[in-house]
Amino acid sequence: AQLRGGARVWFPELAQAFGKDTAAWWARDPARLAQRSRAAGRGPLPALFADVGRRDPWLDDNRAFRAEAQRLGLPLRYAEWDGAHDWPYWRAHVRESLTWLGEEIGGK
């Protein structure tokens, strides 16, 4: 109910990706997926890029993921910039994401 209330407009899309209840959400949580993969000894995890706006309602969740990624030794490039969880923020920072992706694919 809390997720549904906080993301009224996006809840249908969120529910498709993460599930409609807490159990389904936690099963798809990136930090928990990384924990399970690491515990199963599946080898190196892929490099990740994450960025978040300092006015994003999920800022604390992103910081928690960064902390868990660091604890697990995951290759994560993380950045926080001014902005919210909206198109102006994404448009302003898509270049960083694409540059990072190009470096990863192209071997730097």
Side-chain angles (χ1 to χ4, degrees), residues 44-62:
L45 295 173
L48 301 171
F49 179 92
D51 69 277
V52 63
R54 291 187 192 102
R55 290 180 284 119
D56 190 309
W58 288 286
L59 175 61
D60 290 339
D61 298 304
N62 280 269

Side-chain angles (χ1 to χ4, degrees), residues 30-31 46-71 73-85 89 93 96-97 100-101 103-104 108:
L48 301 171
F49 179 92
D51 69 277
V52 63
R54 291 187 192 102
R55 290 180 284 119
D56 190 309
W58 288 286
L59 175 61
D60 290 339
D61 298 304
N62 280 269
R63 288 176 174 169
F65 176 71
R66 176 188 60 190
E68 184 60 15
Q70 288 173 335
R71 188 185 77 74
L74 299 180
L76 172 67
R77 185 178 302 173
Y78 178 87
E80 291 180 11
W81 291 297
D82 187 45
H85 195 84
Y89 175 86
H93 296 287
E96 288 92 348
S97 298
W100 175 85
L101 185 59
E103 290 170 357
E104 288 299 313
K108 299 174 189 171

Side-chain angles (χ1 to χ4, degrees), residues 3-58:
L3 290 172
R4 187 175 287 118
R8 281 185 275 291
V9 175
W10 299 335
F11 189 77
E13 288 82 10
L14 287 174
Q16 267 188 318
F18 291 103
K20 295 180 181 180
D21 58 30
T22 306
W25 184 275
W26 285 121
R28 294 168 178 89
D29 174 66
R32 289 174 189 248
L33 288 169
Q35 290 165 355
R36 288 194 302 268
S37 183
R38 182 70 81 212
R42 293 189 183 130
L45 295 173
L48 301 171
F49 179 92
D51 69 277
V52 63
R54 291 187 192 102
R55 290 180 284 119
D56 190 309
W58 288 286

